[in-house]
Amino acid sequence: LAEALADYATGIFGKWHLGDEYPMRASDQGFQESLVHLGGGLAQASEPIENKRRYTNPVLFLNNEKVQTRGYCTDLYFEAASRFIDRSAQAQKPFFAYIAPNAPHGPFHDVPKALYQKYLKRNLESVMIDGAGSRDTVARILAMIENVDDNIGRLLDLLDRRKLTRNTLVIFLNDNGPNSRRFVGPLRGKKTELHDGGVRSPLWLRWPDRLKPGTTSDRVSAHYDIMPTILDATGVNLSPDVTLDGRSLLPLLQQKSVSWPDRDLYLQAHRGDNPVPDHNMLVRNQCWKLLRQSGFGSETPDPDVPFELYDLANDPGETQKLVFERPDIFDAMHQRYLAWFKDVSTTRPDNYAPPRMRIGNAASRQLILSSQDRREIPTGYEWHLQIDQAGTYAVELQWAAPCPATKIQVKADAQTLSAAIPAGSITHPCGQLTLPAGPLNLQMNVSPNKNRSEAPYFVILKAL
């Protein structure tokens, strides 16, 4: 999307989660300005060690440079986005600002204190189903949510002050339902589950010049409709050889008379390197929904988990399973799902091989390899790399805390570096590898490897 909006100032603030190393960073994918954390969220595995328990004063990355910040993470993203919008307005440059806070999300140790105290005093049992979650955690999550609300208010005030409100399209959505069984209205389910309480999201748009306040549409849509909607709003045309799966939602919201044929939307989400047919998947259209909730956290489905079919037009709470009552609907939707699965698989050659992190070029002289990027193999772990220039590369190991006595082997291109790591080490130079240009897998074996503290937090590869 940022690449398509080449005539706009493009900025991202918060979560990227599509790669921390070249060429998968936001700056490599069309964003001219970026203030982001790494990985999936602050304190996750590819993050700087300093951020392990820090939502306030986090280390962030400004245009790929590590910076020490001051403030609460969500405030920081919105403040940076506001400065970006201000500069764009002063330069009379149209802008695209993508603001993706990592909160509300665990860990929940660090939240705005005043808001936290406010919600601790509330009757939170009214939003907790069957006592799921602790009052303390729910209070922290609600504090994070109100903090987002406050920041959106300040952002809209900025648009008012800059006289940008009428001609700025503001879009708000979230990615999934609550992470515990909290209030989801008449729906059922939570995050990682496929019932609508887990996967349904609000989508709110504001554009005073083009959209009438209070307009609603019940047509089913998905996240991949956002890009066509934005391209439609901006008048940007893609090259004819690019095909998008989504549709622009603007005609619906502008209440135009438009043909809107029903369609199937597909979702599949589970752990592992490769997708598995019929594993933790759903298909839905305007009336019907077929799903198999076989385990978000597993690589293979539980064979005993059945399919479920619901008539959402008459049963939005997904209470009446109709697989056996409507085998015609089940068979037709399942066949369309299998065709979709085959179709998307053709765009990912080499059995969904992950993209390779590249080193040995002007944009990448160092890779910081974490558990977020590694693959497990029978002998340990490996990272998929692309060496752009043959040469000598140094290997350094780094732990998050003093490690126990450990033996480490690092292997690449028939070369092996062995190191006996003394107890209490934080960093340890492992030696040098002479690597050829081309694709290469860097492997690491850790012994005794009884717990995570023995494996390095980072493996740092540097071009010499």
Side-chain angles (χ1 to χ4, degrees):
L1 181 51
E3 291 170 314
L5 297 174
D7 292 335
Y8 280 66
T10 55
I12 177 174
F13 311 92
K15 177 175 177 175
W16 170 243
H17 206 191
L18 293 173
D20 298 330
E21 302 290 348
Y22 176 83
M24 283 90 72
R25 303 166 302 184
S27 61
D28 306 319
Q29 303 294 328
F31 283 100
Q32 299 153 13
E33 182 168 327
S34 59
L35 179 71
V36 297
H37 59 72
L38 302 184
L42 286 170
Q44 294 191 9
S46 60
E47 275 280 287
I49 293 169
E50 304 96 302
N51 283 351
K52 284 185 71 65
R53 292 188 61 82
R54 187 185 292 178
Y55 273 31
T56 299
N57 302 337
V59 171
L60 298 176
F61 290 81
L62 177 61
N63 301 327
N64 304 319
E65 295 296 324
K66 192 174 179 180
V67 293
Q68 176 62 63
T69 63
R70 292 287 179 267
Y72 185 68
C73 57
T74 304
D75 298 336
L76 293 168
Y77 309 140
F78 276 88
E79 288 164 5
S82 296
R83 292 191 295 270
F84 166 79
I85 290 170
D86 246 341
R87 290 195 302 273
S88 301
Q90 290 172 10
Q92 298 185 320
K93 178 82 171 176
F95 60 86
F96 169 55
Y98 174 42
I99 310 170
N102 51 282
H105 197 285
F108 301 113
H109 52 258
D110 191 4
V111 299
K113 293 180 181 178
L115 292 174
Y116 169 56
Q117 293 298 327
K118 168 184 172 179
Y119 283 104
L120 268 185
K121 298 173 183 176
R122 297 282 181 90
N123 175 21
L124 299 180
E125 282 71 17
S126 62
V127 298
M128 298 162 62
I129 299 172
D130 298 328
S134 71
R135 291 187 76 260
D136 181 75
T137 296
V138 173
R140 292 173 184 274
I141 292 169
L142 296 179
M144 288 179 167
I145 292 172
E146 182 164 337
N147 176 251
V148 173
D149 289 345
D150 291 342
N151 275 290
I152 291 173
R154 285 190 283 270
L155 185 71
L156 299 183
D157 288 344
L158 169 66
L159 297 179
D160 286 344
R161 291 196 305 274
R162 281 288 179 189
K163 296 182 169 48
L164 295 170
T165 297
R166 295 203 58 80
N167 200 33
T168 299
L169 172 60
V170 179
I171 301 175
F172 177 90
L173 73 161
N174 68 292
D175 54 353
N176 47 249
N179 68 331
S180 66
R181 297 196 182 281
R182 302 195 298 280
F183 180 68
V184 288
L187 310 177
R188 59 184 284 211
K190 64 180 179 65
K191 179 179 177 178
T192 75
E193 297 177 350
L194 299 177
H195 298 110
D196 269 12
V199 298
R200 188 168 171 175
S201 165
L203 174 65
W204 295 318
L205 301 92
R206 190 185 80 156
W207 191 6
D209 266 359
R210 299 277 294 276
L211 302 180
K212 182 181 177 182
T215 303
T216 63
S217 174
D218 67 348
R219 297 299 88 183
V220 65
S221 58
H223 57 288
Y224 45 80
D225 294 326
I226 298 297
M227 181 168 176
T229 300
I230 290 176
L231 296 182
D232 188 8
T234 57
V236 171
N237 295 313
L238 297 177
S239 61
D241 60 335
V242 175
T243 301
L244 299 180
D245 292 317
R247 298 178 186 169
S248 171
L249 303 175
L250 280 188
L252 292 178
L253 298 171
Q254 292 174 318
Q255 299 178 304
K256 293 182 177 179
S257 177
V258 61
S259 173
W260 193 266
D262 198 10
R263 56 178 171 160
D264 290 316
L265 303 178
Y266 302 91
L267 183 153
Q268 180 159 340
H270 56 77
R271 298 299 191 194
D273 290 343
N274 298 299
V276 178
D278 291 334
H279 183 18
N280 219 56
M281 48 69 68
L282 71 80
V283 189
R284 70 158 298 166
N285 50 46
Q286 197 62 38
C287 293
W288 292 95
K289 179 175 175 182
L290 172 67
L291 67 89
R292 186 172 185 233
Q293 192 158 278
S294 53
F296 172 81
S298 60
E299 297 188 28
T300 56
D302 180 341
D304 296 327
V305 173
F307 286 94
E308 301 172 39
L309 178 68
Y310 298 102
D311 175 2
L312 295 181
N314 297 300
D315 180 24
E318 299 172 276
T319 61
Q320 302 295 319
K321 298 179 182 179
L322 300 175
V323 169
F324 298 110
E325 288 79 359
R326 294 302 305 267
D328 55 329
I329 299 291
F330 168 79
D331 289 339
M333 293 187 77
H334 188 230
Q335 288 304 312
R336 294 198 298 271
Y337 160 78
L338 293 175
W340 166 82
F341 186 95
K342 181 179 179 180
D343 176 59
V344 295
S345 297
T346 63
T347 67
R348 293 295 299 272
D350 302 323
N351 198 27
Y352 285 82
R356 291 181 175 271
M357 294 173 285
R358 294 171 60 179
I359 188 172
N361 58 73
S364 177
R365 305 294 297 169
Q366 173 178 286
L367 292 178
I368 301 178
L369 307 174
S370 72
S371 60
Q372 187 109 345
D373 310 307
R374 74 190 182 199
R375 302 328 227 212
E376 293 197 13
I377 57 175
T379 57
Y381 313 103
E382 73 176 9
W383 290 266
H384 294 202
L385 311 181
Q386 172 76 27
I387 309 301
D388 285 344
Q389 183 176 6
T392 303
Y393 293 80
V395 178
E396 182 178 281
L397 310 176
Q398 187 174 28
W399 284 261
C403 71
T406 308
K407 292 182 179 179
I408 304 281
Q409 281 190 332
V410 177
K411 300 179 180 180
D413 190 43
Q415 299 172 71
T416 300
L417 298 176
S418 298
I421 312 299
S425 295
I426 292 289
T427 61
H428 191 90
C430 203
Q432 298 177 2
L433 296 167
T434 302
L435 302 178
L440 179 146
N441 291 349
L442 184 77
Q443 299 182 347
M444 181 178 70
N445 175 264
V446 181
S447 59
N449 202 22
K450 295 179 181 177
N451 58 65
R452 290 186 177 184
S453 67
E454 291 159 4
Y457 195 80
F458 292 135
V459 176
I460 303 171
L461 188 67
K462 298 178 181 179
L464 298 181

